[in-house]
Amino acid sequence: MKKIILYFCMSFILSCSGYTPMLSTNNLDFYINNIENLNNDKITNQITKKLKNFRVSDSNKKIYNLIIKSEKNTIVASKDSKGDPLMYKMIIDVSVNVIYNQEKINKITLKEKFNFRNSPNNFDLNEYKRNIENDLINKISDELILKLQIL
């Protein structure tokens, strides 16, 4: 009985070896020729770095040029009775104009929000804001890649 269970477990483990990443550059039908940053800020620079892997030239793929504009707002979502902020809301808006064959074919707008509590320690709060911003930028970059793949 133990041999049967062992055989079943080994066959199951060996059959699960076909993992391939969903956003690999091999299975996409486009590549990015040029990326223009209108703001030249941290958000657009991080998106550009993330899209750098998709700049591999191939004559059989669509050639896209991107114009990226981004905006980040951190607003006070709620206050306590003294007027001190309790909750913040970080909103990142990214607008991407996609150009194919010298013509603007699509405008992609992506928006991500996140609510978070205030912290009495400013260093911890700033570090937390930086981590939230990086996570939102990564999420926007992944969504942008998926939307470019659909075009």
Side-chain angles (χ1 to χ4, degrees):
M1 183 70 177
K2 288 182 181 181
K3 288 184 180 183
I4 293 173
I5 294 173
L6 181 65
Y7 176 73
F8 178 72
C9 289
M10 290 300 288
S11 64
F12 180 72
I13 290 171
L14 293 176
S15 67
C16 295
S17 63
Y19 169 76
T20 57
M22 189 169 99
L23 295 176
S24 69
T25 58
N26 297 335
N27 59 359
L28 297 177
D29 64 342
F30 71 91
Y31 80 91
I32 299 171
N33 184 35
N34 188 22
I35 301 173
E36 182 180 340
N37 294 338
L38 292 181
N39 296 27
N40 200 19
D41 61 349
K42 180 182 175 184
I43 297 170
T44 53
N45 288 336
Q46 283 187 341
I47 292 172
T48 302
K49 284 180 187 176
K50 183 116 181 185
L51 294 175
K52 191 165 89 172
N53 295 335
F54 300 96
R55 297 184 94 173
V56 178
S57 176
D58 188 356
S59 61
N60 298 330
K61 296 182 179 185
K62 297 177 191 173
I63 303 169
Y64 291 145
N65 293 317
L66 304 178
I67 301 172
I68 301 174
K69 182 180 179 184
S70 64
E71 182 179 338
K72 179 185 94 167
N73 292 321
T74 304
I75 59 174
V76 176
S78 66
K79 295 181 180 183
D80 63 4
S81 60
K82 296 178 186 175
D84 296 330
L86 284 176
M87 297 284 294
Y88 289 104
K89 180 187 282 189
M90 183 180 291
I91 304 169
I92 297 180
D93 288 319
V94 175
S95 175
V96 180
N97 290 323
V98 182
I99 299 171
Y100 177 67
N101 286 338
Q102 309 302 328
E103 295 179 13
K104 178 181 166 186
I105 60 166
N106 203 352
K107 181 176 183 177
I108 300 172
T109 55
L110 303 165
K111 184 177 195 176
E112 289 294 328
K113 305 177 205 175
F114 189 80
N115 294 329
F116 57 96
R117 289 191 158 281
N118 191 9
S119 173
N121 187 342
N122 283 338
F123 178 77
D124 290 340
L125 181 64
N126 289 334
E127 190 69 27
Y128 189 58
K129 283 181 183 179
R130 196 172 313 120
N131 288 336
I132 290 169
E133 183 179 343
N134 289 335
D135 290 344
L136 293 177
I137 291 169
N138 287 334
K139 193 172 182 181
I140 287 173
S141 298
D142 291 342
E143 286 181 39
L144 177 61
I145 293 166
L146 289 175
K147 290 194 182 228
L148 286 173
Q149 189 174 6
I150 293 171
L151 291 179

PDB file of all heavy atoms in Angstrom, residues 41-70:
ATOM      1  N   ASP A  41       9.509  61.508 -13.875  1.00  0.00           N
ATOM      2  CA  ASP A  41       9.482  61.351 -12.426  1.00  0.00           C
ATOM      3  C   ASP A  41       9.729  59.890 -12.058  1.00  0.00           C
ATOM      4  O   ASP A  41      10.003  59.057 -12.922  1.00  0.00           O
ATOM      5  CB  ASP A  41       8.162  61.861 -11.851  1.00  0.00           C
ATOM      6  CG  ASP A  41       6.958  61.101 -12.376  1.00  0.00           C
ATOM      7  OD1 ASP A  41       7.113  60.331 -13.334  1.00  0.00           O
ATOM      8  OD2 ASP A  41       5.865  61.279 -11.823  1.00  0.00           O
ATOM      9  N   LYS A  42       9.634  59.595 -10.783  1.00  0.00           N
ATOM     10  CA  LYS A  42       9.931  58.256 -10.281  1.00  0.00           C
ATOM     11  C   LYS A  42       8.982  57.211 -10.857  1.00  0.00           C
ATOM     12  O   LYS A  42       9.402  56.109 -11.216  1.00  0.00           O
ATOM     13  CB  LYS A  42       9.846  58.257  -8.754  1.00  0.00           C
ATOM     14  CG  LYS A  42      10.124  56.922  -8.128  1.00  0.00           C
ATOM     15  CD  LYS A  42       9.968  56.978  -6.629  1.00  0.00           C
ATOM     16  CE  LYS A  42      10.141  55.590  -6.037  1.00  0.00           C
ATOM     17  NZ  LYS A  42       9.911  55.572  -4.610  1.00  0.00           N
ATOM     18  N   ILE A  43       7.712  57.558 -10.971  1.00  0.00           N
ATOM     19  CA  ILE A  43       6.719  56.593 -11.442  1.00  0.00           C
ATOM     20  C   ILE A  43       6.994  56.189 -12.887  1.00  0.00           C
ATOM     21  O   ILE A  43       7.066  55.001 -13.203  1.00  0.00           O
ATOM     22  CB  ILE A  43       5.304  57.174 -11.292  1.00  0.00           C
ATOM     23  CG1 ILE A  43       4.998  57.417  -9.813  1.00  0.00           C
ATOM     24  CG2 ILE A  43       4.262  56.256 -11.896  1.00  0.00           C
ATOM     25  CD1 ILE A  43       3.735  58.199  -9.564  1.00  0.00           C
ATOM     26  N   THR A  44       7.150  57.160 -13.761  1.00  0.00           N
ATOM     27  CA  THR A  44       7.388  56.839 -15.167  1.00  0.00           C
ATOM     28  C   THR A  44       8.740  56.161 -15.367  1.00  0.00           C
ATOM     29  O   THR A  44       8.874  55.295 -16.224  1.00  0.00           O
ATOM     30  CB  THR A  44       7.290  58.100 -16.041  1.00  0.00           C
ATOM     31  OG1 THR A  44       8.149  59.097 -15.507  1.00  0.00           O
ATOM     32  CG2 THR A  44       5.885  58.609 -16.111  1.00  0.00           C
ATOM     33  N   ASN A  45       9.728  56.522 -14.574  1.00  0.00           N
ATOM     34  CA  ASN A  45      11.029  55.859 -14.682  1.00  0.00           C
ATOM     35  C   ASN A  45      10.945  54.396 -14.268  1.00  0.00           C
ATOM     36  O   ASN A  45      11.561  53.529 -14.895  1.00  0.00           O
ATOM     37  CB  ASN A  45      12.075  56.591 -13.843  1.00  0.00           C
ATOM     38  CG  ASN A  45      12.474  57.915 -14.447  1.00  0.00           C
ATOM     39  OD1 ASN A  45      12.351  58.121 -15.646  1.00  0.00           O
ATOM     40  ND2 ASN A  45      12.942  58.823 -13.622  1.00  0.00           N
ATOM     41  N   GLN A  46      10.193  54.090 -13.210  1.00  0.00           N
ATOM     42  CA  GLN A  46      10.048  52.688 -12.800  1.00  0.00           C
ATOM     43  C   GLN A  46       9.259  51.879 -13.817  1.00  0.00           C
ATOM     44  O   GLN A  46       9.577  50.713 -14.070  1.00  0.00           O
ATOM     45  CB  GLN A  46       9.397  52.592 -11.427  1.00  0.00           C
ATOM     46  CG  GLN A  46      10.335  52.896 -10.300  1.00  0.00           C
ATOM     47  CD  GLN A  46       9.711  52.636  -8.937  1.00  0.00           C
ATOM     48  OE1 GLN A  46       8.504  52.560  -8.781  1.00  0.00           O
ATOM     49  NE2 GLN A  46      10.553  52.495  -7.945  1.00  0.00           N
ATOM     50  N   ILE A  47       8.233  52.483 -14.413  1.00  0.00           N
ATOM     51  CA  ILE A  47       7.476  51.787 -15.452  1.00  0.00           C
ATOM     52  C   ILE A  47       8.364  51.532 -16.662  1.00  0.00           C
ATOM     53  O   ILE A  47       8.334  50.450 -17.249  1.00  0.00           O
ATOM     54  CB  ILE A  47       6.216  52.592 -15.823  1.00  0.00           C
ATOM     55  CG1 ILE A  47       5.232  52.588 -14.658  1.00  0.00           C
ATOM     56  CG2 ILE A  47       5.554  52.025 -17.074  1.00  0.00           C
ATOM     57  CD1 ILE A  47       4.051  53.490 -14.843  1.00  0.00           C
ATOM     58  N   THR A  48       9.184  52.500 -17.011  1.00  0.00           N
ATOM     59  CA  THR A  48      10.111  52.339 -18.129  1.00  0.00           C
ATOM     60  C   THR A  48      11.104  51.215 -17.863  1.00  0.00           C
ATOM     61  O   THR A  48      11.399  50.409 -18.754  1.00  0.00           O
ATOM     62  CB  THR A  48      10.860  53.656 -18.391  1.00  0.00           C
ATOM     63  OG1 THR A  48       9.905  54.678 -18.647  1.00  0.00           O
ATOM     64  CG2 THR A  48      11.806  53.534 -19.560  1.00  0.00           C
ATOM     65  N   LYS A  49      11.621  51.123 -16.638  1.00  0.00           N
ATOM     66  CA  LYS A  49      12.543  50.038 -16.291  1.00  0.00           C
ATOM     67  C   LYS A  49      11.862  48.684 -16.391  1.00  0.00           C
ATOM     68  O   LYS A  49      12.457  47.711 -16.842  1.00  0.00           O
ATOM     69  CB  LYS A  49      13.083  50.231 -14.873  1.00  0.00           C
ATOM     70  CG  LYS A  49      14.130  51.289 -14.761  1.00  0.00           C
ATOM     71  CD  LYS A  49      14.618  51.417 -13.335  1.00  0.00           C
ATOM     72  CE  LYS A  49      15.542  52.589 -13.163  1.00  0.00           C
ATOM     73  NZ  LYS A  49      15.961  52.793 -11.771  1.00  0.00           N
ATOM     74  N   LYS A  50      10.606  48.619 -15.968  1.00  0.00           N
ATOM     75  CA  LYS A  50       9.878  47.355 -16.028  1.00  0.00           C
ATOM     76  C   LYS A  50       9.600  46.944 -17.480  1.00  0.00           C
ATOM     77  O   LYS A  50       9.596  45.770 -17.809  1.00  0.00           O
ATOM     78  CB  LYS A  50       8.575  47.486 -15.248  1.00  0.00           C
ATOM     79  CG  LYS A  50       7.772  46.256 -15.181  1.00  0.00           C
ATOM     80  CD  LYS A  50       7.654  45.768 -13.792  1.00  0.00           C
ATOM     81  CE  LYS A  50       6.847  44.492 -13.802  1.00  0.00           C
ATOM     82  NZ  LYS A  50       6.565  43.987 -12.537  1.00  0.00           N
ATOM     83  N   LEU A  51       9.383  47.919 -18.353  1.00  0.00           N
ATOM     84  CA  LEU A  51       9.111  47.633 -19.753  1.00  0.00           C
ATOM     85  C   LEU A  51      10.377  47.416 -20.580  1.00  0.00           C
ATOM     86  O   LEU A  51      10.290  47.095 -21.759  1.00  0.00           O
ATOM     87  CB  LEU A  51       8.292  48.769 -20.366  1.00  0.00           C
ATOM     88  CG  LEU A  51       6.883  48.958 -19.827  1.00  0.00           C
ATOM     89  CD1 LEU A  51       6.259  50.194 -20.442  1.00  0.00           C
ATOM     90  CD2 LEU A  51       6.032  47.740 -20.062  1.00  0.00           C
ATOM     91  N   LYS A  52      11.536  47.591 -19.973  1.00  0.00           N
ATOM     92  CA  LYS A  52      12.806  47.440 -20.687  1.00  0.00           C
ATOM     93  C   LYS A  52      12.978  46.025 -21.241  1.00  0.00           C
ATOM     94  O   LYS A  52      13.570  45.839 -22.298  1.00  0.00           O
ATOM     95  CB  LYS A  52      13.963  47.791 -19.751  1.00  0.00           C
ATOM     96  CG  LYS A  52      15.290  47.925 -20.452  1.00  0.00           C
ATOM     97  CD  LYS A  52      16.307  48.619 -19.580  1.00  0.00           C
ATOM     98  CE  LYS A  52      17.043  47.639 -18.732  1.00  0.00           C
ATOM     99  NZ  LYS A  52      18.165  48.247 -18.009  1.00  0.00           N
ATOM    100  N   ASN A  53      12.415  45.031 -20.557  1.00  0.00           N
ATOM    101  CA  ASN A  53      12.518  43.651 -21.034  1.00  0.00           C
ATOM    102  C   ASN A  53      11.742  43.418 -22.321  1.00  0.00           C
ATOM    103  O   ASN A  53      11.995  42.446 -23.029  1.00  0.00           O
ATOM    104  CB  ASN A  53      12.004  42.684 -19.963  1.00  0.00           C
ATOM    105  CG  ASN A  53      12.854  42.700 -18.732  1.00  0.00           C
ATOM    106  OD1 ASN A  53      14.030  43.046 -18.777  1.00  0.00           O
ATOM    107  ND2 ASN A  53      12.263  42.340 -17.612  1.00  0.00           N
ATOM    108  N   PHE A  54      10.810  44.286 -22.644  1.00  0.00           N
ATOM    109  CA  PHE A  54       9.972  44.121 -23.826  1.00  0.00           C
ATOM    110  C   PHE A  54      10.474  44.957 -24.998  1.00  0.00           C
ATOM    111  O   PHE A  54       9.740  45.215 -25.936  1.00  0.00           O
ATOM    112  CB  PHE A  54       8.521  44.493 -23.490  1.00  0.00           C
ATOM    113  CG  PHE A  54       7.961  43.636 -22.408  1.00  0.00           C
ATOM    114  CD1 PHE A  54       7.973  44.054 -21.093  1.00  0.00           C
ATOM    115  CD2 PHE A  54       7.467  42.391 -22.694  1.00  0.00           C
ATOM    116  CE1 PHE A  54       7.473  43.265 -20.089  1.00  0.00           C
ATOM    117  CE2 PHE A  54       6.958  41.572 -21.694  1.00  0.00           C
ATOM    118  CZ  PHE A  54       6.963  42.009 -20.391  1.00  0.00           C
ATOM    119  N   ARG A  55      11.725  45.366 -24.935  1.00  0.00           N
ATOM    120  CA  ARG A  55      12.314  46.177 -26.000  1.00  0.00           C
ATOM    121  C   ARG A  55      13.162  45.344 -26.947  1.00  0.00           C
ATOM    122  O   ARG A  55      13.940  45.870 -27.708  1.00  0.00           O
ATOM    123  CB  ARG A  55      13.143  47.303 -25.397  1.00  0.00           C
ATOM    124  CG  ARG A  55      12.285  48.248 -24.575  1.00  0.00           C
ATOM    125  CD  ARG A  55      13.066  49.369 -24.076  1.00  0.00           C
ATOM    126  NE  ARG A  55      12.907  50.459 -25.043  1.00  0.00           N
ATOM    127  CZ  ARG A  55      13.352  51.665 -24.860  1.00  0.00           C
ATOM    128  NH1 ARG A  55      14.018  51.961 -23.787  1.00  0.00           N
ATOM    129  NH2 ARG A  55      13.146  52.586 -25.758  1.00  0.00           N
ATOM    130  N   VAL A  56      12.995  44.029 -26.907  1.00  0.00           N
ATOM    131  CA  VAL A  56      13.756  43.139 -27.773  1.00  0.00           C
ATOM    132  C   VAL A  56      13.181  43.223 -29.182  1.00  0.00           C
ATOM    133  O   VAL A  56      11.988  43.003 -29.387  1.00  0.00           O
ATOM    134  CB  VAL A  56      13.695  41.681 -27.252  1.00  0.00           C
ATOM    135  CG1 VAL A  56      14.435  40.750 -28.174  1.00  0.00           C
ATOM    136  CG2 VAL A  56      14.236  41.618 -25.839  1.00  0.00           C
ATOM    137  N   SER A  57      14.009  43.532 -30.151  1.00  0.00           N
ATOM    138  CA  SER A  57      13.564  43.730 -31.524  1.00  0.00           C
ATOM    139  C   SER A  57      13.335  42.395 -32.223  1.00  0.00           C
ATOM    140  O   SER A  57      14.149  41.479 -32.137  1.00  0.00           O
ATOM    141  CB  SER A  57      14.614  44.527 -32.278  1.00  0.00           C
ATOM    142  OG  SER A  57      14.258  44.650 -33.619  1.00  0.00           O
ATOM    143  N   ASP A  58      12.213  42.314 -32.922  1.00  0.00           N
ATOM    144  CA  ASP A  58      11.880  41.137 -33.718  1.00  0.00           C
ATOM    145  C   ASP A  58      11.037  41.618 -34.896  1.00  0.00           C
ATOM    146  O   ASP A  58      10.057  42.334 -34.707  1.00  0.00           O
ATOM    147  CB  ASP A  58      11.111  40.110 -32.873  1.00  0.00           C
ATOM    148  CG  ASP A  58      10.918  38.798 -33.601  1.00  0.00           C
ATOM    149  OD1 ASP A  58      11.312  38.708 -34.778  1.00  0.00           O
ATOM    150  OD2 ASP A  58      10.373  37.865 -32.996  1.00  0.00           O
ATOM    151  N   SER A  59      11.393  41.204 -36.097  1.00  0.00           N
ATOM    152  CA  SER A  59      10.712  41.720 -37.285  1.00  0.00           C
ATOM    153  C   SER A  59       9.297  41.166 -37.434  1.00  0.00           C
ATOM    154  O   SER A  59       8.494  41.726 -38.176  1.00  0.00           O
ATOM    155  CB  SER A  59      11.535  41.394 -38.531  1.00  0.00           C
ATOM    156  OG  SER A  59      11.652  39.989 -38.662  1.00  0.00           O
ATOM    157  N   ASN A  60       8.959  40.085 -36.765  1.00  0.00           N
ATOM    158  CA  ASN A  60       7.637  39.491 -36.898  1.00  0.00           C
ATOM    159  C   ASN A  60       6.630  40.033 -35.897  1.00  0.00           C
ATOM    160  O   ASN A  60       5.482  39.610 -35.897  1.00  0.00           O
ATOM    161  CB  ASN A  60       7.724  37.968 -36.725  1.00  0.00           C
ATOM    162  CG  ASN A  60       8.580  37.330 -37.799  1.00  0.00           C
ATOM    163  OD1 ASN A  60       8.653  37.831 -38.918  1.00  0.00           O
ATOM    164  ND2 ASN A  60       9.228  36.243 -37.465  1.00  0.00           N
ATOM    165  N   LYS A  61       7.033  40.948 -35.059  1.00  0.00           N
ATOM    166  CA  LYS A  61       6.154  41.458 -34.010  1.00  0.00           C
ATOM    167  C   LYS A  61       5.744  42.895 -34.300  1.00  0.00           C
ATOM    168  O   LYS A  61       6.405  43.599 -35.050  1.00  0.00           O
ATOM    169  CB  LYS A  61       6.861  41.388 -32.652  1.00  0.00           C
ATOM    170  CG  LYS A  61       7.170  39.981 -32.204  1.00  0.00           C
ATOM    171  CD  LYS A  61       7.820  39.969 -30.842  1.00  0.00           C
ATOM    172  CE  LYS A  61       8.097  38.540 -30.393  1.00  0.00           C
ATOM    173  NZ  LYS A  61       8.619  38.516 -29.032  1.00  0.00           N
ATOM    174  N   LYS A  62       4.640  43.308 -33.675  1.00  0.00           N
ATOM    175  CA  LYS A  62       4.196  44.696 -33.781  1.00  0.00           C
ATOM    176  C   LYS A  62       5.176  45.599 -33.044  1.00  0.00           C
ATOM    177  O   LYS A  62       5.692  45.232 -31.993  1.00  0.00           O
ATOM    178  CB  LYS A  62       2.817  44.862 -33.149  1.00  0.00           C
ATOM    179  CG  LYS A  62       1.732  44.081 -33.804  1.00  0.00           C
ATOM    180  CD  LYS A  62       0.448  44.276 -33.028  1.00  0.00           C
ATOM    181  CE  LYS A  62      -0.608  43.323 -33.454  1.00  0.00           C
ATOM    182  NZ  LYS A  62      -1.802  43.405 -32.601  1.00  0.00           N
ATOM    183  N   ILE A  63       5.389  46.778 -33.591  1.00  0.00           N
ATOM    184  CA  ILE A  63       6.302  47.739 -32.989  1.00  0.00           C
ATOM    185  C   ILE A  63       5.478  48.874 -32.402  1.00  0.00           C
ATOM    186  O   ILE A  63       4.780  49.582 -33.125  1.00  0.00           O
ATOM    187  CB  ILE A  63       7.287  48.298 -34.035  1.00  0.00           C
ATOM    188  CG1 ILE A  63       8.062  47.165 -34.700  1.00  0.00           C
ATOM    189  CG2 ILE A  63       8.223  49.305 -33.392  1.00  0.00           C
ATOM    190  CD1 ILE A  63       8.847  47.599 -35.911  1.00  0.00           C
ATOM    191  N   TYR A  64       5.550  49.028 -31.071  1.00  0.00           N
ATOM    192  CA  TYR A  64       4.813  50.086 -30.385  1.00  0.00           C
ATOM    193  C   TYR A  64       5.779  51.150 -29.885  1.00  0.00           C
ATOM    194  O   TYR A  64       6.883  50.831 -29.427  1.00  0.00           O
ATOM    195  CB  TYR A  64       4.047  49.548 -29.179  1.00  0.00           C
ATOM    196  CG  TYR A  64       2.883  48.653 -29.508  1.00  0.00           C
ATOM    197  CD1 TYR A  64       2.568  47.575 -28.696  1.00  0.00           C
ATOM    198  CD2 TYR A  64       2.065  48.884 -30.614  1.00  0.00           C
ATOM    199  CE1 TYR A  64       1.492  46.760 -28.970  1.00  0.00           C
ATOM    200  CE2 TYR A  64       1.003  48.073 -30.894  1.00  0.00           C
ATOM    201  CZ  TYR A  64       0.709  47.013 -30.078  1.00  0.00           C
ATOM    202  OH  TYR A  64      -0.358  46.204 -30.356  1.00  0.00           O
ATOM    203  N   ASN A  65       5.338  52.395 -29.950  1.00  0.00           N
ATOM    204  CA  ASN A  65       6.005  53.506 -29.284  1.00  0.00           C
ATOM    205  C   ASN A  65       5.048  53.992 -28.205  1.00  0.00           C
ATOM    206  O   ASN A  65       3.841  54.103 -28.450  1.00  0.00           O
ATOM    207  CB  ASN A  65       6.320  54.639 -30.258  1.00  0.00           C
ATOM    208  CG  ASN A  65       7.357  54.221 -31.276  1.00  0.00           C
ATOM    209  OD1 ASN A  65       8.344  53.583 -30.939  1.00  0.00           O
ATOM    210  ND2 ASN A  65       7.135  54.584 -32.523  1.00  0.00           N
ATOM    211  N   LEU A  66       5.563  54.277 -27.015  1.00  0.00           N
ATOM    212  CA  LEU A  66       4.723  54.660 -25.894  1.00  0.00           C
ATOM    213  C   LEU A  66       5.073  56.058 -25.408  1.00  0.00           C
ATOM    214  O   LEU A  66       6.247  56.425 -25.350  1.00  0.00           O
ATOM    215  CB  LEU A  66       4.893  53.672 -24.738  1.00  0.00           C
ATOM    216  CG  LEU A  66       4.636  52.206 -25.024  1.00  0.00           C
ATOM    217  CD1 LEU A  66       4.898  51.382 -23.770  1.00  0.00           C
ATOM    218  CD2 LEU A  66       3.236  51.979 -25.515  1.00  0.00           C
ATOM    219  N   ILE A  67       4.040  56.811 -25.059  1.00  0.00           N
ATOM    220  CA  ILE A  67       4.202  58.104 -24.407  1.00  0.00           C
ATOM    221  C   ILE A  67       3.497  57.990 -23.061  1.00  0.00           C
ATOM    222  O   ILE A  67       2.285  57.795 -23.013  1.00  0.00           O
ATOM    223  CB  ILE A  67       3.606  59.243 -25.250  1.00  0.00           C
ATOM    224  CG1 ILE A  67       4.289  59.297 -26.620  1.00  0.00           C
ATOM    225  CG2 ILE A  67       3.754  60.568 -24.522  1.00  0.00           C
ATOM    226  CD1 ILE A  67       3.638  60.246 -27.581  1.00  0.00           C
ATOM    227  N   ILE A  68       4.270  58.090 -21.967  1.00  0.00           N
ATOM    228  CA  ILE A  68       3.741  57.833 -20.629  1.00  0.00           C
ATOM    229  C   ILE A  68       3.696  59.134 -19.831  1.00  0.00           C
ATOM    230  O   ILE A  68       4.664  59.881 -19.782  1.00  0.00           O
ATOM    231  CB  ILE A  68       4.606  56.802 -19.882  1.00  0.00           C
ATOM    232  CG1 ILE A  68       4.667  55.484 -20.659  1.00  0.00           C
ATOM    233  CG2 ILE A  68       4.064  56.555 -18.488  1.00  0.00           C
ATOM    234  CD1 ILE A  68       5.626  54.468 -20.068  1.00  0.00           C
ATOM    235  N   LYS A  69       2.552  59.365 -19.196  1.00  0.00           N
ATOM    236  CA  LYS A  69       2.379  60.491 -18.292  1.00  0.00           C
ATOM    237  C   LYS A  69       1.771  59.946 -17.002  1.00  0.00           C
ATOM    238  O   LYS A  69       0.832  59.161 -17.038  1.00  0.00           O
ATOM    239  CB  LYS A  69       1.450  61.537 -18.905  1.00  0.00           C
ATOM    240  CG  LYS A  69       1.259  62.751 -18.045  1.00  0.00           C
ATOM    241  CD  LYS A  69       0.328  63.744 -18.705  1.00  0.00           C
ATOM    242  CE  LYS A  69       0.143  64.935 -17.797  1.00  0.00           C
ATOM    243  NZ  LYS A  69      -0.823  65.888 -18.340  1.00  0.00           N
ATOM    244  N   SER A  70       2.319  60.366 -15.861  1.00  0.00           N
ATOM    245  CA  SER A  70       1.830  59.835 -14.587  1.00  0.00           C
ATOM    246  C   SER A  70       1.605  60.956 -13.586  1.00  0.00           C
ATOM    247  O   SER A  70       2.158  62.048 -13.714  1.00  0.00           O
ATOM    248  CB  SER A  70       2.816  58.824 -14.014  1.00  0.00           C
ATOM    249  OG  SER A  70       4.030  59.455 -13.702  1.00  0.00           O
TER     250      SER A  70
END
